[in-house]
């Protein structure tokens, strides 16, 4: 997905996201592209499944960000990530 599609799907919530993730598991284009996005609001990625690469490079989180129970099945890029508030990580599973 491109960045616009990724953000739109994220705002539909965890259930919609995970339905997409299960149907896109074998699709190489199932990349989650958040690159350079600025989250003005608190975000909660709890229990989100990422079936391919997840690109969070250069993302800014202005409020609290929660990553609990996430499953990353592809590579994850958190380079140059910036948190302006609290962040909580508890990864359920990650591809190494």
């Amino acid at each position: 997905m491109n960045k616009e599609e990724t953000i739109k799907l994220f705002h539909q919530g965890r259930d919609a996201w995970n339905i997409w993730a299960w149907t896109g598991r074998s699709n190489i284009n199932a990349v989650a592209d958040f690159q350079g996005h600025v989250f003005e609001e608190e975000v909660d990625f709890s229990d989100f499944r990422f079936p391919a690469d997840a690109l969070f490079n250069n993302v800014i989180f202005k409020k609290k960000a929660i990553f609990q129970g996430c499953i990353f099945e592809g590579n994850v890029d958190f380079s140059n990530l910036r948190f302006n508030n609290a962040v909580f990580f508890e990864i359920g599973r990650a591809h190494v």
Side-chain angles (χ1 to χ4, degrees), residues 5-83:
E5 294 166 330
T6 301
I7 300 300
K8 183 177 178 182
L9 181 58
F10 168 74
H11 285 296
Q12 291 176 29
R14 179 181 51 233
D15 291 338
W17 182 277
N18 286 340
I19 288 169
W20 164 81
W22 277 108
T23 59
R25 287 183 67 156
S26 62
N27 185 348
I28 193 135
N29 295 320
V31 172
D33 182 358
F34 292 96
Q35 295 180 90
H37 187 70
V38 177
F39 286 96
E40 301 283 344
E41 71 281 4
E42 182 176 309
V43 294
D44 187 351
F45 285 97
S46 294
D47 300 316
F48 274 56
R49 175 179 291 277
F50 296 86
D53 293 351
L55 308 175
F56 286 92
N57 50 311
N58 298 305
V59 169
I60 298 171
F61 293 96
K62 291 195 171 185
K63 306 254 180 180
K64 182 167 53 172
I66 303 169
F67 290 86
Q68 292 185 311
C70 295
I71 297 174
F72 294 101
E73 297 182 37
N75 297 311
V76 185
D77 185 352
F78 286 125
S79 61
N80 299 314
L81 189 64
R82 191 169 90 202
F83 298 102

